[in-house]
Amino acid sequence: MTTRTILVTSALPYANGSIHLGHLVEYIQTDIWVRFQKMQGHTVHYVCADDTHGTPIMLRAEKEGITPEALIARVHTEHLRDFTGFHITFDQYYSTHSDETRYYAEDIYLKLKAAGLIAVRAIEQLYDPVKNLFLPDRFVKGECPKCGAADQYGDSCEACGAAYAPTDLKNPYSAVSGATPIRKASEHFFFKLSDARCADFLRRWTREGNHLQAEAANKMAEWLGEAGENKLSDWDISRDAPYFGFEIPGETGKYFYVWLDAPIGYMGSFRKLCAQKGIDFDAYWNKDSAAELYHFIGKDILYFHALFWPAMLENAGYRTPTQIFAHGFLTVNGEKMSKSRGTFITAESYLEQGLNPEWLRYYYAAKLNGSMEDIDLNLDDFVARVNSDLVGKYINIASRCAGFISKRFGGKLVEGEDYRLLQQMVDEHFSGWQPGVIEAAYEARDFSAAVRHIMRRADEVNELIHALAPWEIAKDESRLRELHRACSLGIQMFYLLSCYLKPILPHTARQIEDFLGAGELAWQ
C-alpha cells in the first residue's frame, strides 16, 4: 500500500459561543476520517483553531468588561474541553489571533496587491453615531424592504426570505445601541474576484480534478456562470476601526475582515504544529506539493471555501485544496434546533447529563453518507440504535463468550491445532465478507455504509454463536475443547469488529485493547 501524506482541517468555530450538537456533526465526521487514515498507516495531520476576530467578539468582550484577548482565551479553553469530551483529537488546536496567521494574512494580501488584484473604493455604510462604529449586517435591524416585517436583520428577512443590503432596511436601528444609524462613506479594500484571472481559474478548478462534491460543483457553476459571463462580485476584505483583528499593512484604522484571515488560520495552525514537530510547512503548501489537503466544512460556508479561498491561494502562489468536503445541517426530531423546545443541546450539557459521547459519534456515523444532505437526530431512534447495535449486537458478542474464556480457560484463547481449526471456521463462515468494502466506505466518508456492513457482520457472528450455543456446550465437561474453540471464535470476531469500529469508538477501542491484552487494534 502506498503511504499518503495528508493535511486535514475542520472549519474554525467562532469564539463567540458554545459548541453544540450541530457543530459536532463536522468535527466527529472529520475525526472519524482522520482516525481511519491514521489506522491505514498514512502520515496525517489534523489541525483546527478558534476563529477569533470581528465586531461580535469586540462587543461581547466590552459587554463582559474584559478584553477581547481574555474572551477568546477563555472560549478557546471551553471549546477544546468540549471537543476533547467527544474524543475529537486534533494534532493542533490553535487560534487565528496568532503571529502565524497574521504573517500569512499579510503575505497573501501583499501578493494579491502586487498582482493587481486589490482595489480601493469608497462605499456607503450604516454607522452607529452613539457607539461610533460601522455596523455589520447582523447589527442592524429594521423593517424588511420587501414585505415590511419588523425586527429583521440587515442582510436578509426571516419572514419572506428576501436578501438585501443594510441600507435598504426601512426604519433601521442599531442592535448595539438602539440609535438610528446614519449613512457614512468610507474607503474599503476589495479582492478583485471578478478579474478574469480569478473567474477563469475558478471555472476550471470547480469543475475539474474532483475538488468538490457533485452537488457543490453544480452550485458553484450557478454562481460562476459560463465562460465570458462575469457573475462574480469583488469581495470587500476590509473593516474600519474600531475592530478586533489584524490591521492591514501600510494602513491606519483599516483591518482585515474576519473572513479573510479565518481560512488562513488553517495555515497558521499548521505552521504552529510544524514548529513544534519539525515538519516542513512548504512541503504541504507549495504549489508543487505532493501532499493532500482536505477541508471539512458545512454547506453554509461553501461560497467562501470554494471561491474566495482557492482564488486567494492560487493568485498568492500557494497550493489549492485537494478536495473540499461539505456536509449538511443537523435537525433534531425533524426540526431546527430550538431552545424553547429543549432541542438546542450544547456539547457541555450533553456531557453533564452523563451521556456517553461515543453514542453520539456512532449515531452520527450511522447517518453520514458523504453528501451535503441534512441529517436528523431523532432522539427515540438514537436510544433504539444505541441499544440495538452497540449493546445488543456488538458488545453482546464479547459478553456471550468472554466469561467462559476467563473462568474455564484462564483467559487464554485456543492455540496450536485448535487455532488452525479456528481459522478454518473463520474461513468457512465468513468467506462471503467482501474485502475492502468497509475501507472504501470510510474513505468516501460514507460512514453509514461502513456501519451497515459492520453491523451486518455482527449479526452473522451473533447468529453463529447462537448456533454453536456455548452455554449449552458448557454443561458437558467432555466438550471443553469444543467450548474453547467456539468462545475463541466469538472473541476473534469481536476483535475484528472492534478494529472496524475503532475510528468511530476510539475510547471503547482503548478499553478493548486492555481487555483483550492483544496490543493496539490495527487495521491490517
Side-chain angles (χ1 to χ4, degrees):
M1 182 180 69
T2 303
T3 302
R4 298 156 61 188
T5 303
I6 304 171
L7 174 59
V8 182
T9 76
S10 295
L12 313 187
Y14 199 44
N16 193 35
S18 301
I19 302 299
H20 56 66
L21 298 198
H23 291 130
L24 287 173
V25 171
E26 178 171 312
Y27 302 96
I28 288 173
Q29 181 189 37
T30 316
D31 186 75
I32 290 171
W33 196 77
V34 166
R35 288 179 183 275
F36 165 73
Q37 299 296 352
K38 288 183 176 181
M39 282 186 76
Q40 299 296 293
H42 302 311
T43 299
V44 188
H45 305 295
Y46 177 25
V47 302
C48 194
D50 272 347
D51 182 7
T52 58
H53 291 153
T55 304
I57 300 290
M58 181 181 70
L59 293 176
R60 179 179 171 185
E62 180 183 302
K63 185 177 181 180
E64 294 189 19
I66 58 177
T67 64
E69 289 83 358
L71 171 64
I72 63 175
R74 186 187 78 210
V75 172
H76 184 275
T77 300
E78 293 169 359
H79 283 181
L80 192 54
R81 173 205 66 201
D82 292 343
F83 288 135
T84 303
F86 282 85
H87 311 304
I88 295 159
T89 305
F90 305 102
D91 294 296
Q92 179 65 239
Y93 190 76
Y94 204 32
S95 167
T96 58
H97 194 63
S98 67
D99 291 338
E100 293 88 350
T101 302
R102 182 196 294 270
Y103 172 83
Y104 287 105
E106 293 181 352
D107 179 66
I108 287 173
Y109 167 78
L110 291 172
K111 286 174 177 174
L112 295 177
K113 184 178 179 181
L117 289 171
I118 300 295
V120 182
R121 62 179 76 113
I123 64 169
E124 195 174 66
Q125 297 171 280
L126 294 181
Y127 184 84
D128 187 325
V130 174
K131 298 296 290 185
N132 294 315
L133 58 82
F134 286 97
L135 293 167
D137 298 350
R138 288 263 145 174
F139 285 85
V140 185
K141 284 193 167 184
E143 298 169 11
C144 172
K146 307 290 185 186
C147 72
D151 293 321
Q152 298 305 308
Y153 288 113
D155 56 355
S156 63
C157 176
E158 293 183 345
C160 72
Y164 43 73
T167 49
D168 294 333
L169 279 173
K170 297 176 182 176
N171 301 315
Y173 64 92
S174 167
V176 182
S177 69
T180 300
I182 61 174
R183 291 175 179 246
K184 189 173 180 180
S186 173
E187 280 195 340
H188 273 234
F189 294 75
F190 290 81
F191 173 38
K192 294 166 67 175
L193 199 65
S194 63
D195 187 283
R197 286 171 289 176
C198 293
D200 292 345
F201 161 73
L202 288 170
R203 283 192 189 91
R204 293 193 307 274
W205 190 86
T206 56
R207 294 176 182 177
E208 301 169 3
N210 197 32
H211 299 301
L212 303 173
Q213 294 136 293
E215 58 261 62
N218 291 337
K219 178 58 69 175
M220 293 304 107
E222 290 176 26
W223 288 338
L224 284 163
E226 298 300 323
E229 287 187 86
N230 191 1
K231 297 181 71 172
L232 293 173
S233 300
D234 292 344
W235 181 36
D236 188 347
I237 61 167
S238 65
R239 292 296 184 267
D240 291 286
Y243 191 82
F244 183 58
F246 296 140
E247 201 161 27
I248 296 176
E251 306 297 329
T252 302
K254 302 289 183 182
Y255 292 79
F256 287 129
Y257 173 42
V258 58
W259 258 110
L260 179 119
D261 59 57
I264 295 172
Y266 302 143
M267 302 172 80
S269 184
F270 185 58
R271 184 75 197 208
K272 179 71 172 180
L273 180 67
C274 290
Q276 293 172 340
K277 302 291 187 181
I279 302 166
D280 182 357
F281 178 91
D282 292 337
Y284 287 78
W285 285 96
N286 277 354
K287 261 193 181 297
D288 60 353
S289 172
E292 301 169 47
L293 172 61
Y294 299 100
H295 298 311
F296 285 75
I297 63 166
K299 63 184 179 182
D300 55 326
I301 55 174
L302 187 61
Y303 196 94
F304 293 98
H305 281 79
L307 294 181
F308 298 149
W309 179 229
M312 285 165 53
L313 291 169
E314 172 70 13
N315 289 284
Y318 290 102
R319 61 89 45 83
T320 54
T322 306
Q323 285 182 285
I324 295 171
F325 300 139
H327 60 82
F329 301 133
L330 177 75
T331 57
V332 179
N333 291 336
E335 299 178 311
K336 288 178 66 175
M337 288 193 297
S338 165
K339 290 182 180 178
S340 63
R341 287 191 295 269
T343 58
F344 188 91
I345 306 166
T346 65
E348 181 182 22
S349 63
Y350 179 103
L351 295 171
E352 283 180 344
Q353 294 301 314
L355 297 171
N356 188 331
E358 290 192 322
W359 296 344
L360 192 70
R361 288 178 66 100
Y362 180 79
Y363 192 76
Y364 282 175
K367 294 273 187 167
L368 286 162
N369 61 13
S371 77
M372 290 166 56
E373 296 174 1
D374 296 345
I375 69 169
D376 183 54
L377 170 57
N378 180 287
L379 298 176
D380 290 336
D381 182 50
F382 172 71
V383 173
R385 183 76 69 105
V386 168
N387 285 334
S388 170
D389 288 5
L390 294 185
V391 180
K393 295 181 181 181
Y394 170 50
I395 296 299
N396 188 48
I397 296 168
S399 69
R400 296 169 94 182
C401 300
F404 292 117
I405 297 291
S406 294
K407 293 171 186 174
R408 299 289 190 95
F409 306 106
K412 304 245 181 228
L413 303 186
V414 293
E415 53 190 353
E417 179 60 27
D418 283 314
Y419 180 76
R420 284 187 285 277
L421 289 171
L422 171 66
Q423 293 303 102
Q424 289 176 15
M425 293 171 74
V426 171
D427 291 341
E428 177 183 344
H429 290 283
F430 302 102
S431 59
W433 287 20
Q434 294 174 282
V437 172
I438 294 172
E439 289 90 334
Y442 269 122
E443 178 66 42
R445 307 169 325 286
D446 192 353
F447 302 153
S448 62
V451 166
R452 284 195 304 274
H453 285 294
I454 294 166
M455 285 303 142
R456 192 175 302 136
R457 294 175 182 189
D459 284 335
E460 293 172 8
V461 175
N462 277 298
E463 288 168 7
L464 177 61
I465 293 171
H466 183 75
L468 293 172
W471 46 90
E472 293 295 333
I473 301 172
K475 296 175 183 177
D476 185 346
E477 289 295 321
S478 68
R479 300 175 68 189
L480 281 181
R481 190 174 174 188
E482 187 181 345
L483 175 67
H484 199 187
R485 279 200 304 269
C487 292
S488 294
L489 176 65
I491 295 298
Q492 182 74 18
M493 302 317 298
F494 177 71
Y495 168 83
L496 179 59
L497 291 168
S498 298
C499 292
Y500 284 140
L501 285 167
K502 185 176 180 179
I504 300 171
L505 307 175
H507 179 68
T508 297
R510 282 194 296 274
Q511 293 178 303
I512 289 167
E513 287 165 352
D514 291 340
F515 168 70
L516 294 176
E520 186 174 346
L521 295 168
W523 202 271
Q524 289 76 12

